[in-house]
Amino acid sequence: MGLFSKISDRIFNRRKASAPAAAPASGTPAPVIFTGSKNDPKVSPPARNPAPAATPAPAQPAEPVDVEAVLGGIAEEKGGRSDWRNSIVDLLKLLDLDSSLDARKELAAELGVNAGAHGSAEQNIALHRAVMRKLAENGGKVPDELKD
């Protein structure tokens, strides 16, 4: 899994992880008592009386994930002291990912970013913008000022 995949996974799956899980079914099912004959469709096994084919509901388009809100929420949970809007290093640290020069070199190669020397401010800015653009391309709602 590439570094960008880890970034998008941490952002896009955040909403799913915070959603309340359905309560598991409890205990054993209540007993069912049938009073019909063995040929009664209510009594015979399901193989003899197959259920009608269910028609799938039309797929609803997924609502875009508000990247700024998700990252802002994570920053608040961690004390609110992060410059993730401007710094690729802070963004990676906020997501508990490796922010080392080697990791950023890998990310630059993955996203095709060739601006400035590795580790330079020029490359880090270009890398941050490339990550934000790619998040937007993959279903994220990202403010224009973070992509350009």
Side-chain angles (χ1 to χ4, degrees):
M1 176 185 274
L3 187 53
F4 179 77
S5 296
K6 292 176 184 176
I7 292 168
S8 61
D9 185 54
R10 301 268 169 104
I11 293 170
F12 294 146
N13 292 327
R14 174 97 176 152
R15 180 174 57 178
K16 294 174 192 166
S18 63
S26 63
T28 57
V32 178
I33 301 172
F34 294 103
T35 57
S37 72
K38 67 178 182 177
N39 295 323
D40 186 339
K42 294 178 191 166
V43 177
S44 63
R48 284 181 145 176
N49 300 300
T55 55
Q60 296 295 323
E63 193 173 312
V65 174
D66 188 339
V67 172
E68 185 175 31
V70 170
L71 293 172
I74 295 170
E76 282 298 315
E77 289 173 12
K78 293 185 173 190
R81 300 182 60 171
S82 176
D83 190 22
W84 66 265
R85 285 179 179 84
N86 300 302
S87 168
I88 188 67
V89 172
D90 283 2
L91 175 63
L92 293 170
K93 285 181 179 180
L94 183 67
L95 297 172
D96 297 322
L97 295 170
D98 183 3
S99 62
S100 69
L101 179 57
D102 286 340
R104 287 180 281 138
K105 283 180 185 179
E106 175 189 326
L107 184 60
E110 185 179 345
L111 298 178
V113 174
N114 297 312
H118 288 298
S120 69
E122 182 182 3
Q123 187 192 45
N124 286 340
I125 290 167
L127 196 51
H128 186 275
R129 289 182 178 164
V131 166
M132 292 298 163
R133 273 193 305 274
K134 189 86 167 170
L135 287 169
E137 291 170 8
N138 286 287
K141 183 178 139 197
V142 178
D144 287 338
E145 66 269 12
L146 295 179
K147 297 182 284 186
D148 299 330

